[in-house]
Amino acid sequence: TVVVRAPRGRCAGESRRNYAEDSVVLIAGAYVAGDANGDKTVNIGDAVYVINYVFRSGPAPEPPAAGDANCDGRINVGDAVYIVNYIFRSGPAPCYP
């Protein structure tokens, strides 16, 4: 699993693309913490997926670490809150394992 964080808008050795500061870039075949539903983006659907898993015995994120947005080693409501904070309040990007 490789997640690239671009602290100054550009990845080391990358000259053709600019990335937003602290962006999370998915490399093909990898997963991103916070992408609980596996659609290759971190969005409100992921928060709903985590809530459904935690409170309604919905399907588990696959791989499980994809649902652990804050990398505390557990999938719980805190991950859904973390995702919502990231999306709507410009909170920190989901962690990378």
Side-chain angles (χ1 to χ4, degrees):
T1 301
V2 178
V3 176
V4 179
R5 289 191 180 269
R8 291 196 179 91
R10 183 170 287 194
C11 293
E14 176 66 69
S15 60
R16 293 170 297 177
R17 295 186 184 166
N18 288 320
Y19 297 101
E21 184 174 331
D22 201 32
S23 62
V24 176
V25 179
L26 179 63
I27 306 301
Y31 74 91
V32 171
D35 181 20
N37 63 11
D39 68 355
K40 307 291 188 244
T41 61
V42 178
N43 55 35
I44 194 64
D46 299 301
V48 171
Y49 197 94
V50 169
I51 289 169
N52 188 45
Y53 169 68
V54 171
F55 293 111
R56 297 183 164 226
S57 300
E62 187 55 46
D68 186 13
N70 59 12
C71 280
D72 66 357
R74 302 178 308 242
I75 300 172
N76 55 31
V77 72
D79 297 300
V81 171
Y82 196 94
I83 293 166
V84 169
N85 188 45
Y86 167 64
I87 294 168
F88 294 110
R89 304 194 60 130
S90 299
C95 67
Y96 56 98

